[in-house]
């Protein structure tokens, strides 16, 4: 009896630690009155000639002029809880702003359609970060919704891996403002990227460059800083391990000594033993491939606590104010990070204006600004341009128009996608934490 | 059946063969697949010969971690010893304690990143009071009415309470504002101490080291020998000392005080204890309150030692502590300490010599093996001494 109880308790305890009730609460923006005047949008010329019969509602009463515009739904799926919350919130705000300023109260195509933006949450409160089951539920929900034409997300590459194949089955476009894992679009691990596209067509694109570029950039920057011995860590997630793999490979190629490589358990309560081990190896630089949610703040605290003074560098997963909050302002000081974003001085004028407007509208200081906010805006710009072009409820046509985007002027510059769905802009920006703020810095690269 | 197995003379040939063969098979499998998980004896022995001091260093780290785990595990095991119920809300009570400690220390810090030691010591009072009260309330309003119902009902109610407290913890992160009395300006300025969002990890102010500046971990051995490579910090000493004090005080309390004796009486036979005039409800409530207060003490130690908390911290730390309690024999106070030391040492040694990627797997593999061969835990015995 006793024994059974203990075994049962252990199972329940594990369940409590691992599982969590999905707490997704989709919140639709308040519907505006359907009396909107026809919006002046781009000329509605469908590039890939969709079947009008497939798109038009078969009901005999479907006279758009009389009943008001039909709804086109755009979903976003981002972690709204955990360290990524502020990033996701800012991306969602940027999408809302982009939809509003590329339509007339959400109405496009001369009053034919009204864009309804729905925010989905792919995280759980208990996990504090994205969760595969929740992401799967979100993608399934989008597929089942016949009004849904595009899916903006995800923030995490691991989550994208879950939703791309689901959306691919109905050829629905998915555009990510932040995924950087290589294998999502290009050959990387076994079977990638084809296993994500069972339908054979590409439905996924991203407005940020992938980690093969970022990892290499990180490694070359490390050498440029004068590092000779590096220690490589990752958070054992698809994104973190992927970027750390590239880093390790490139670091070895350009002659850096990799003194060790391991993964950390993002749920562990501390990393003191690991820090002691690293101290014994005496590296000049420690590279962490991963996200802040996987306890990066604690990791750095324990590394500094062990008396290690080596430079700490990471990819875009730690490039945000959440890392400063997690590690503490003093500990985060001098931490280096990179991201595949356009530095402020290279932004087009509309991009600079967007940053200023956005900061003013949502009462943000530069220290609170998330790097991916404007990429959320750009992703929404691509979506809106395609919706305005197709002007029909045809998922495949919207997908084709989005992936065929060429030289679209956005807040991050002219945007085009290559055949894999990757952005052709590969600019990288280097960041440093200074006085609790993430500021841009010059990176000296060495090959 | 259990009894029969324990007498070797009753074993059939097959049973005897299985008894010998099973451990050998497990050792073989561990060595075979262990390589995948970083268990390479040759490399490990070489590393130990190269730098033997590192083992002592990792033992210190392991013991300091074990100290925190012990205190939480004692909360689980005490309650189990008395009412045979696993208090699933315990880990969340601990998590709430870390927030109380964080808020207390932040109020004193007033925006500074370093606080003197007395602030950390003071934080024990509100954290222990709060956690004791919270655990007492959980007992009174969740478990008490379910005491006579099936075991599983109380378990599920406990899990539900755990989730509820976890989500309240998430909301505590939203408070984020501590009145900051600005002496230069007039009026009260508000200070954001819990960061931008509720769920992200929160940072504790560091505790002033005795001999060095802030953020400089002092090596106590360096005070004696300038060239010491071994590193013992004030935080290590404080955490281990607090745990020892807590273990001995609790042991003394259970053995020598009136309430402690009443606890043991209730643990042995609640009906008989009630007939002797012991208020069983009060004693059970007291057990929960003491368990909660221990979680509060562990929360402060955790904050000082690790310096970070979040609303998820309860599930990991709680899982480790619960494992320690089960490993040592649930219901047995010494067992909890033994299990915690075992887990602490195994984790730090595995981080050093095997791979931190696999540490959690090794810890739970050990738990599974212990449960297979000694289901009552290392020191546990069915119907033996409790609490």
């Amino acid at each position: 009896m006793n024994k059974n109880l203990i075994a049962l308790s252990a199972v329940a305890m594990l369940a409590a630690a691992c599982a969590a009730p999905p707490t997704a609460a989709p919140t639709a923006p308040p519907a505006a009155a359907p009396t909107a005047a026809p919006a002046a949008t781009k000329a509605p010329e469908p590039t890939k000639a969709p079947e009008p019969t497939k798109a038009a509602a078969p009901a005999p009463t479907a006279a758009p002029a009389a009943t008001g515009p039909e709804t086109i739904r755009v979903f976003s799926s981002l972690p709204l809880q955990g360290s990524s919350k502020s990033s996701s919130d800012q991306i969602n705000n940027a999408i809302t702003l982009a939809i509003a300023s590329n339509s007339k109260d959400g109405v496009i195509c001369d009053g034919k359609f009204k864009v309804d933006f729905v925010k989905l949450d792919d995280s759980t409160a208990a996990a504090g970060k994205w969760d595969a089951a929740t992401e799967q539920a979100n993608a399934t929900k989008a597929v089942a919704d016949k009004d849904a034409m595009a899916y903006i997300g995800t923030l995490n590459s691991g989550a994208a891996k879950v939703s791309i194949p689901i959306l691919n089955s109905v050829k629905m476009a998915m555009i990510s403002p932040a995924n950087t894992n290589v294998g999502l679009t290009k050959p990387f691990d076994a079977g990638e990227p084809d296993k994500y596209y069972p339908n054979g067509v590409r439905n996924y694109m991203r407005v940020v460059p992938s980690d093969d570029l970022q990892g290499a950039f990180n490694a070359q920057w490390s050498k440029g800083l004068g590092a000779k011995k590096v220690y490589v860590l990752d958070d054992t997630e698809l994104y973190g391990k992927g970027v750390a793999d590239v880093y390790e490979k490139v670091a070895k190629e350009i002659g850096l000594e990799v003194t060790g490589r391991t993964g950390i358990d993002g749920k562990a309560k501390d990393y003191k033993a690991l820090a002691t081990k690293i101290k014994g190896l005496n590296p000049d630089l420690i590279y962490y491939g991963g996200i802040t949610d996987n306890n990066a703040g604690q990791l750095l605290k324990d590394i500094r606590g062990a008396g290690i003074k080596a430079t700490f560098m990471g990819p875009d997963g730690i490039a945000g104010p959440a890392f400063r909050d997690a590690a503490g302002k003093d500990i985060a000081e001098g931490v280096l990070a990179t991201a595949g974003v356009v530095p402020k001085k290279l932004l087009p004028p509309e991009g600079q204006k967007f940053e200023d407007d956005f900061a003013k509208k949502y009462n943000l200081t530069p220290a609170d600004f998330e790097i991916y906010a404007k990429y959320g805006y750009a992703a929404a710009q691509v979506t809106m341009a395609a919706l305005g072009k197709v002007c029909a409820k045809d998922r495949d046509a919207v997908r084709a128009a989005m992936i065929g985007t060429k030289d679209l002027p956005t807040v991050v510059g002219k945007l085009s996608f290559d055949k894999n769905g990757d952005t052709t802009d590969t600019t990288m920006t280097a960041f440093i934490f200074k006085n609790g703020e993430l500021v841009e810095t010059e990176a000296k690269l060495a090959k | 059946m259990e009894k029969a197995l324990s007498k070797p003379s009753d074993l059939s040939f097959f049973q005897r063969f299985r008894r010998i063969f099973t451990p050998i098979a497990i050792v073989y499998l561990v060595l075979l697949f262990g390589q995948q998980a970083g268990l390479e004896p040759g490399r490990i022995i070489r590393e130990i010969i190269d730098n033997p001091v590192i083992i002592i260093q990792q033992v210190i780290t392991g013991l300091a971690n074990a100290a925190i785990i012990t205190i939480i595990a004692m909360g689980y095991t005490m309650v189990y010893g008395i009412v045979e119920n696993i208090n699933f809300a315990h880990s969340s009570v601990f998590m709430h304690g870390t927030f109380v400690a964080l808020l207390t220390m932040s109020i004193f810090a007033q925006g500074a990143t370093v606080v003197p030691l007395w602030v950390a010591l003071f934080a024990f009072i509100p954290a222990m009071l709060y956690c004791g009260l919270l655990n007492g309330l959980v007992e009174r309003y969740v478990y008490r009415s379910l005491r006579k119902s099936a075991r599983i009902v109380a378990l599920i109610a406990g899990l539900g309470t755990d989730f509820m407290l976890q989500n309240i913890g998430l909301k505590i992160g939203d408070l984020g504002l501590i009145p900051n009395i600005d002496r230069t300006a007039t009026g009260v300025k508000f200070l954001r101490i819990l960061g931008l969002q509720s769920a992200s990890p929160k940072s504790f102010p560091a505790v002033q080291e005795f001999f060095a500046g802030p953020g400089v971990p002092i090596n106590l051995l360096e005070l004696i020998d300038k060239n010491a490579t071994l590193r013992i910090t004030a935080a290590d000493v404080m955490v281990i000392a607090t745990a020892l004090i807590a273990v001995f005080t609790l042991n003394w309390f259970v053995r020598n005080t009136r309430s402690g004796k009443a606890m043991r009486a209730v643990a042995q036979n609640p009906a008989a204890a009630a007939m002797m005039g012991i208020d069983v409800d009060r004693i059970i409530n007291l057990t929960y309150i003491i368990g909660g207060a221990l979680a509060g003490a562990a929360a402060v130690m955790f904050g000082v030692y690790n310096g970070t908390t979040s609303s998820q911290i309860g599930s990991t730390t709680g899982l480790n502590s619960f494992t320690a309690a089960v490993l040592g024999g649930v219901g047995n106070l010494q067992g909890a300490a033994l299990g915690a030391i075992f887990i602490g040492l195994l984790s730090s040694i595995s981080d050093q010599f095997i791979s931190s990627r696999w540490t959690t797997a090794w810890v739970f593999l050990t738990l599974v093996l212990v449960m297979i061969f000694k289901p009552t835990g290392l020191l546990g015995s069915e119907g033996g001494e409790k609490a």
Side-chain angles (χ1 to χ4, degrees), chain A residues 111-136:
Chain A
K112 251 175 94 183
F113 295 107
K114 182 168 165 49
V115 178
D116 177 24
F117 173 49
V118 178
K119 301 164 195 163
L120 301 178
D121 182 359
D122 71 0
S123 68
T124 61
K129 59 172 190 161
W130 74 274
D131 168 77
T134 318
E135 176 61 33
Q136 186 178 4

Side-chain angles (χ1 to χ4, degrees), chain B residues 322-384:
Chain B
F322 176 72
T323 309
V326 174
L327 201 59
V330 71
N332 184 312
L333 287 179
Q334 287 81 11
L338 184 71
I341 291 171
F342 192 83
I343 289 178
L345 289 182
L346 182 63
S347 303
S348 63
I349 297 290
S350 162
D351 276 0
Q352 173 69 38
F353 295 111
I354 300 176
S355 166
S356 63
R357 214 184 277 278
W358 293 97
T359 295
T360 318
W362 285 113
V363 168
F364 285 98
L365 176 70
T366 315
L367 175 71
V368 169
L369 292 183
V370 170
M371 287 292 105
I372 289 174
F373 292 105
K374 198 158 186 313
T376 50
L378 294 174
L379 295 187
S381 54
E382 212 95 15

Side-chain angles (χ1 to χ4, degrees), chain A residues 1-3 5-6 8-10 12-17 19-21 23 81-87 90 124-129 233-234 236 241 261-265 267-274 276-280 292-293 295 297-298 301-302 304-307 321-322 324-330 365 367-368 370, chain B residues 2 43 47 51 54 57-58 61 65 68-69 76 80 84-86 88 91 113-114 151-152 155 159 162-163 166-167 170 192 194-204 215 217 231 233 302 305-308 311-313 315-320 322 326 330 347-349 351-357 360 364 371 375 382-383:
Chain A
M1 185 61 205
N2 252 349
K3 216 191 306 170
L5 180 67
I6 292 168
L8 177 69
S9 310
M13 192 77 184
L14 278 166
T23 49
Q81 302 170 79
S83 291
S84 305
K85 180 183 190 308
S86 90
S87 204
Q90 291 190 18
T124 61
K129 59 172 190 161
L233 291 164
D234 67 68
T236 66
K241 189 173 176 300
R261 166 80 196 268
T262 193
I264 62 161
D265 172 7
K267 287 189 146 200
K269 64 185 194 54
D270 72 275
Y271 305 96
K272 290 191 163 61
L274 177 63
T276 303
K277 177 185 179 149
I278 296 174
K279 187 172 164 38
T292 305
D293 302 75
N295 231 349
Q298 183 69 51
K301 260 185 193 170
D302 290 335
R304 293 288 181 250
R324 169 207 59 202
D325 290 345
K329 205 177 126 206
D330 293 351
T365 65
D368 300 336
E370 296 283 357
Chain B
E2 289 278 327
R43 176 185 58 79
E47 280 182 21
N51 189 357
I54 207 109
Q57 185 74 69
Q58 294 293 19
T61 308
N65 269 323
I68 297 174
I69 298 175
Y76 278 110
Y80 186 85
E84 305 212 344
N85 174 36
I86 303 289
F88 274 115
S91 59
T113 47
V114 182
R151 212 55 80 61
I152 191 80
L155 271 182
L159 265 180
D162 182 57
F163 277 124
Q166 214 177 87
N167 282 280
L170 196 66
R192 194 157 65 181
L194 291 184
L196 276 180
Q197 343 90 36
S198 51
S200 72
K202 318 289 177 217
S203 202
F204 276 77
R231 183 180 198 90
T233 65
F302 182 88
Y305 190 64
N306 279 0
T308 315
S311 56
Q312 284 95 47
I313 207 75
S315 40
T316 331
T317 319
L319 187 61
N320 267 332
F322 176 72
V326 174
V330 71
S347 303
S348 63
I349 297 290
D351 276 0
Q352 173 69 38
F353 295 111
I354 300 176
S355 166
S356 63
R357 214 184 277 278
T360 318
F364 285 98
M371 287 292 105
E382 212 95 15

Side-chain angles (χ1 to χ4, degrees), chain B residues 202-245:
Chain B
K202 318 289 177 217
S203 202
F204 276 77
V207 173
Q208 180 91 52
E209 288 282 354
F210 305 118
F211 313 101
V216 184
I218 184 84
N219 183 351
L220 295 184
L221 285 186
E222 257 174 27
L223 299 174
I224 306 159
D225 174 7
K226 276 278 161 243
N227 300 320
T229 47
L230 196 62
R231 183 180 198 90
I232 303 175
T233 65
D236 290 331
V237 175
M238 179 187 155
V239 167
I240 294 173
T242 318
L244 286 177
I245 294 170

Side-chain angles (χ1 to χ4, degrees), chain A residues 153 173-177 185 197 202-207 382 399 402-405 417 420-422:
Chain A
M174 166 165 170
I175 182 164
S176 168
T185 56
Y197 305 97
R202 290 303 188 98
N203 64 317
Y204 170 81
M205 63 225 84
R206 51 180 158 194
V207 293
V382 170
R399 175 200 66 79
M402 279 173 75
I403 211 157
T405 301
F417 295 116
N420 297 323
D422 277 316

